[in-house]
Amino acid sequence: MTTAIGITPDVSLVKTSSQVRGACPHDCPDTCALLTTLENGVAVKVQGNPDHPQTGGVLCTKVSRYTERSYHPERILQPLKRVGPKGAGRFEPVSWDSALDEIATHLKGIAARNPEAIAPYSYAGTMGLVQAEGMAARFFNKLGASLLERTICSAAGGEALVQTLGGKVGMKVEFFAGSQLIIIWGSNSIGSNLHFWRHVQEAKRQGARIVCIDPRKTETADKCHEHIALRPGTDAALALALMHELIVNDWLDHDYIAQHTVGWDQLKARALLWPPARAAEVCDVPVAQITGLARDYGTTKPAAIRLNYGMQRVRGGGNASRAIACLPALTGAWRQRAGGLLLSSSGMFPINKAAVQRPDLLAGRWPRTLNMITIGDDLLRDSSPGFGPKIEALIVYNSNPVAVAPESGKVVQGFEREDLFTVVLEHFQTDTADYADFILPATTQLEHWDIHASYGHTDVLLNRPAIKPVGEARPNSAIFRALAARMGFTEPCFLEDDETLCRAAFSHPDGDKVDFSELLDKGFATLPIPDAPFAEGVFPTPSGKCEFFSARLAAQGLDGLPDQLDNHETAGSSGEFPLAMISPPARNFLNSTFVNVKSLRDIEGEPLLEIHADDAAARGIPDGAVVRVFNQRGSYRCKAEVSKRARPGVVNGLGVWWRKLGLDGTNVNQLTSQRLTDLGRGPVFYDCLVEVQLDEAAAL
Ligand SMILES: Nc1nc2c(c(=O)[nH]1)N[C@H]1C(S)=C(S)[C@@H](COP(=O)(O)OP(=O)(O)OC[C@H]3O[C@@H](n4cnc5c(=O)[nH]c(N)nc54)[C@H](O)[C@@H]3O)O[C@H]1N2
Ligand SMILES: Nc1nc2c(c(=O)[nH]1)N[C@H]1C(S)=C(S)[C@@H](COP(=O)(O)OP(=O)(O)OC[C@H]3O[C@@H](n4cnc5c(=O)[nH]c(N)nc54)[C@H](O)[C@@H]3O)O[C@H]1N2
Ligand code: SF4
Ligand SMILES: [Mo]
């Protein structure tokens, strides 16, 4: 019998020290450095590494309970094979050998006809460069499986940054502490970017003004000097009106604009079409808030914008992100280290992706690409010349698509297909795992090696295994390695161990970009990035300048300038579904991760829809009533909370609950749509009209 081989824990460390250094694997900008305390080989405590300045010894509530997750009684400890109907969640344990043999036989049969009928489905359950798309990418590249556009979170904003600044680059997060004005735009920092909030508090102590731009009155908005509660999907209008005011009041840095930007005349003409009164109407906020913010932004130095992905999950999310990303160049905010903008820092890491993922294994093939957002539609498609082969096998890892992908009615229908072969690598029996033919037990971050970049700071972190794999769990890397062997893949790269993959991540022909021995010693290493990276322009765009006008977008037949685009679904366009629904993250979950950790679920309570008192009264909905939230795509039942956090016309369905823990076995994504954003082919989770009714059955 094969034992749980996986990767050997770092025995020397386990023996000589009671603490092991690691990295938080979750999809969170903070990428904290962890210290795991061991007693007799058992992890008894996970805490923040006090030596790592970005972590400051503090973790969020979720991860400070990480041992509860790793040793959770419901962890999947053995490979499981389906015995009931799809979705019933009935499985029997099988040995690793028999699971892997059967999976490989199945995949070989499909690959012999057309490997593109096999599709990976993965996202950011772990952000580690090895356990995310390391050995897995090698496996799918060699196989010639369909490629996956990993768009479900940040694609519109990411593309906007590429087109405007040249990449996912921006301010160094620590310098927000020195700003005099911080605009928190589309982000609930206290809930989802806690370590950034520490810098805000420091700035506040030094007299900075803090403004929050968010349709929801979040816990972050509560603690800011001002909250601008605009309608979802109207951020570009606001940004253009700010530009209008900067222009008419001449709060511009003419020298910075002349030297370091392209397309100023065109952008100026566009912005002058947006007087504050026009934007105030589109955004549904008072004119004075817009003119006041413009004055603050135009006259305060240093001024910094913390943009986050919440504002780009609407049709015009790309354009809005572009409009906002233009602002710091107009005022020359980039000149100071505490000025500028940060959406994501991930583009600042010199990762050697090719060394880890080995795209050369495609050997000249260019398989079709699926967009993970439209998995619902795609699973229901037959073969066609435009689409390619019908999807016959899906291998899911680091993701829970049945809960997190939009229009889940269709996703479920797809996963229910009897002729679909589904393998799910997981820690738990999630909504997705319920539909698997095989569930393979994966290790958690305490049990494997990995190396991490970050999208909220600029340090590289190493994660060492602290404990032996729980049960028979194996790292994703080990599972794909074993599958590769059974598929007959003989390239030496399939034999490389995880530490070698970690070392490859920052290796380059001209020398390593990160000192691996420093990582082994300290657990983290800081990238050598200038304090004010764009003080002298030199943006990584083709022109080397901040591109107000993007010739690359224009060449694609798109607008070269940012503009306000209406949502796909705008209130008023149809009387049937008059409320806009957004579904932002809950503080004690991480997307759908942690929903099954009882102590955290108890804090969140149950799935809730926040609704403004006027909207509730118009529908006869008392606080705490069970409501039906519905639109043309489906219906979802949950409890209503008449709440000051909701603005009129907008309801907030905090996500992302496991469907099976909701009232009807559904969640908010029953209502969201598979349409895409203007740029980057991203998701539009917050561009979704609904109606809400008192649930008469529940009221009886
Ligand atoms: N605790 C916790 N932390 C998390 C996550 C989590 O689920 N829980 N998720 C992680 C992930 S996956 C990501 S991508 C990151 C970033 O995560 P984001 O998804 O950006 O999350 P938030 O920072 O919560 O910000 C979203 C905010 O945007 C607001 N918003 C919605 N629509 C609009 C709009 O049209 N305009 C504007 N201006 N605001 C809008 C929402 O009300 C919400 O407060 O956070 C990560 N951190
Ligand atoms: N309505 C609505 N939907 C949303 C969002 C929203 O704001 N509103 N947010 C969207 C965003 S921003 C994102 S990023 C996506 C997130 O979508 P996903 O990336 O799918 O995130 P999770 O729901 O956290 O699921 C990750 C899964 O990976 C598993 N996992 C973790 N580590 C490992 C590992 O090492 N190996 C294996 N095999 N599995 C592992 C976890 O147990 C978990 O079940 O959701 C999106 N969906
Ligand atoms: S989820 Fe974010 S805040 Fe929490 S420990 Fe991980 S990186 Fe830090
Ligand atoms: Mo995300």
Side-chain angles (χ1 to χ4, degrees):
M1 194 180 125
T2 316
T3 52
I5 39 164
I7 218 63
T8 322
D10 190 336
V11 180
S12 61
L13 240 163
V14 173
K15 273 187 190 152
T16 56
S17 153
S18 62
Q19 289 193 317
V20 178
R21 290 186 201 88
C24 175
H26 291 297
D27 186 352
C28 168
D30 298 18
T31 321
C32 291
L34 307 182
L35 273 185
T36 301
T37 305
L38 299 172
E39 275 172 20
N40 303 319
V42 174
V44 292
K45 191 173 171 192
V46 175
Q47 63 195 109
N49 182 350
D51 297 337
H52 182 232
Q54 299 299 339
T55 307
V58 183
L59 301 180
C60 64
T61 320
K62 306 176 288 292
V63 175
S64 51
R65 300 186 181 180
Y66 205 75
T67 53
E68 254 185 80
R69 190 172 185 278
S70 287
Y71 294 123
H72 196 294
E74 290 160 14
R75 262 293 290 275
I76 295 168
L77 300 177
Q78 284 171 281
L80 299 174
K81 183 179 176 177
R82 175 166 70 90
V83 289
K86 290 242 178 185
R90 290 212 304 279
F91 296 90
E92 67 179 14
V94 291
S95 71
W96 269 110
D97 274 342
S98 87
L100 292 170
D101 284 346
E102 217 175 303
I103 294 166
T105 305
H106 220 99
L107 296 183
K108 275 185 193 163
I110 299 171
R113 295 192 300 280
N114 187 345
E116 292 183 27
I118 302 169
Y121 196 97
S122 69
Y123 198 63
T126 170
M127 302 276 292
L129 298 170
V130 174
Q131 304 305 342
E133 310 311 326
M135 201 49 84
R138 294 178 179 187
F139 177 82
F140 291 111
N141 284 337
K142 172 69 189 169
L143 185 61
S146 288
L147 302 173
L148 185 71
E149 279 183 287
R150 292 183 172 80
T151 42
I152 202 155
C153 169
S154 58
E159 178 67 9
L161 283 197
V162 167
Q163 296 298 344
T164 314
L165 307 179
K168 286 184 168 180
V169 295
M171 280 176 70
K172 291 180 81 171
V173 69
E174 53 269 39
F175 296 131
F176 274 86
S179 305
Q180 276 300 297
L181 171 70
I182 300 179
I183 303 180
I184 301 179
W185 201 321
S187 177
N188 179 10
S189 315
I190 295 179
S192 56
N193 188 189
L194 191 62
H195 293 75
F196 165 72
W197 186 252
R198 294 186 316 148
H199 302 307
V200 175
Q201 281 175 308
E202 177 57 31
K204 229 174 161 181
R205 275 193 289 274
Q206 310 216 4
R209 183 171 168 77
I210 319 293
V211 180
C212 177
I213 303 176
D214 193 315
R216 178 169 184 255
K217 189 164 189 298
T218 59
E219 53 265 62
T220 305
D222 286 340
K223 297 217 156 53
C224 291
H225 296 104
E226 186 161 4
H227 173 213
I228 303 184
L230 79 188
R231 280 198 188 108
T234 61
D235 298 270
L238 176 57
L240 287 161
L242 294 180
M243 290 180 201
H244 180 282
E245 293 301 281
L246 297 178
I247 295 165
V248 300
N249 293 292
D250 198 21
W251 291 319
L252 298 167
D253 184 332
H254 293 283
D255 179 56
Y256 195 92
I257 293 172
Q259 286 195 54
H260 306 307
T261 72
V262 290
W264 167 229
D265 290 339
Q266 294 109 303
L267 181 68
K268 185 173 173 183
R270 174 69 53 91
L272 289 174
L273 300 173
W274 282 93
R278 181 180 176 198
E281 198 162 308
V282 171
C283 305
D284 191 28
V285 300
V287 179
Q289 270 200 317
I290 300 178
T291 50
L293 179 62
R295 173 174 298 276
D296 288 343
Y297 190 67
T299 59
T300 311
K301 285 190 187 333
I305 301 175
R306 179 54 165 123
L307 191 57
N308 213 334
Y309 290 117
M311 44 66 63
Q312 46 97 67
R313 298 191 183 112
V314 293
R315 174 180 165 229
N319 266 272
S321 308
R322 251 173 68 60
I324 297 164
C326 291
L327 290 168
L330 291 174
T331 58
W334 292 116
R335 288 186 192 275
Q336 289 167 286
R337 68 180 196 180
L341 170 141
L342 177 65
L343 170 56
S344 166
S345 56
S346 64
M348 297 164 105
F349 288 81
I351 299 169
N352 189 346
K353 219 166 134 182
V356 180
Q357 306 188 351
R358 299 293 304 269
D360 56 296
L361 295 165
L362 282 168
R365 296 167 295 178
W366 194 255
R368 61 108 178 256
T369 302
L370 299 169
N371 187 329
M372 67 189 301
I373 295 161
T374 52
I375 188 67
D377 279 342
D378 290 348
L379 283 176
L380 299 174
R381 276 183 217 245
D382 280 324
S383 302
S384 72
F387 178 61
K390 185 172 182 167
I391 301 173
E392 292 181 55
L394 200 60
I395 303 185
V396 182
Y397 52 103
N398 306 335
S399 187
N400 185 8
V402 171
V404 305
E407 206 174 353
S408 23
K410 286 197 177 160
V411 181
V412 166
Q413 222 183 316
F415 271 85
E416 272 171 348
R417 269 177 42 201
E418 279 302 330
D419 62 344
L420 179 73
F421 180 68
T422 306
V423 180
V424 177
L425 283 61
E426 252 301 346
H427 302 147
F428 295 105
Q429 196 172 324
T430 59
D431 289 329
T432 305
D434 279 344
Y435 291 88
D437 292 283
F438 282 96
I439 309 178
L440 302 178
T443 45
T444 69
Q445 190 78 345
L446 299 189
E447 300 150 63
H448 55 227
W449 280 96
D450 218 327
I451 189 163
H452 290 254
S454 171
Y455 61 103
H457 60 64
T458 43
D459 296 344
V460 177
L461 274 75
L462 184 70
N463 185 73
R464 290 172 181 263
I467 56 170
K468 291 207 175 78
V470 176
E472 293 184 21
R474 295 184 186 183
N476 292 344
S477 54
I479 298 173
F480 284 107
R481 209 178 274 125
L483 274 177
R486 281 170 171 77
M487 298 295 286
F489 300 164
T490 52
E491 285 77 1
C493 72
F494 289 108
L495 299 175
E496 283 174 7
D497 66 15
D498 287 4
E499 196 185 327
T500 307
L501 270 103
C502 288
R503 286 177 187 272
F506 290 91
S507 66
H508 283 266
D510 59 343
D512 290 355
K513 299 291 174 198
V514 170
D515 181 353
F516 203 79
S517 59
E518 189 183 347
L519 287 177
L520 287 168
D521 284 350
K522 288 203 312 187
F524 61 91
T526 300
L527 294 175
I529 292 168
D531 285 356
F534 309 116
E536 305 292 332
V538 202
F539 290 92
T541 50
S543 62
K545 299 179 180 203
C546 172
E547 299 197 346
F548 297 151
F549 180 85
S550 165
R552 288 179 292 172
L553 289 179
Q556 293 170 41
L558 298 169
D559 192 347
L561 292 173
D563 204 355
Q564 169 63 34
L565 301 185
D566 286 343
N567 278 359
H568 288 299
E569 301 186 357
T570 47
S573 63
S574 114
E576 225 182 327
F577 306 116
L579 296 170
M581 183 185 80
I582 58 172
S583 45
R587 182 169 180 181
N588 294 287
F589 302 149
L590 217 137
N591 301 316
S592 78
T593 304
F594 296 105
V595 180
N596 64 328
V597 175
K598 190 158 180 317
S599 64
L600 294 169
R601 189 166 76 240
D602 287 346
I603 306 177
E604 289 296 329
E606 59 188 314
L608 277 185
L609 187 83
E610 296 170 348
I611 184 166
H612 186 270
D614 294 350
D615 294 322
R619 290 163 179 79
I621 296 169
D623 184 39
V626 175
V627 289
R628 198 167 76 85
V629 195
F630 61 98
N631 62 17
Q632 69 276 31
R633 288 175 289 273
S635 153
Y636 163 59
R637 279 194 326 141
C638 65
K639 210 175 236 190
E641 184 175 279
V642 178
S643 169
K644 291 203 169 69
R645 299 214 181 278
R647 54 153 285 150
V650 181
V651 289
N652 313 323
L654 298 193
V656 181
W657 279 77
W658 283 21
R659 287 164 61 87
K660 55 183 157 190
L661 296 172
L663 286 180
D664 293 329
T666 56
N667 70 14
V668 280
N669 281 322
Q670 198 74 14
L671 308 178
T672 52
S673 92
Q674 296 180 68
R675 298 182 80 162
L676 302 178
T677 50
D678 54 346
L679 301 178
R681 299 166 53 75
V684 295
F685 289 111
Y686 308 162
D687 181 343
C688 174
L689 286 186
V690 301
E691 180 52 296
V692 184
Q693 268 178 1
L694 194 60
D695 184 59
E696 299 294 350
L700 288 177

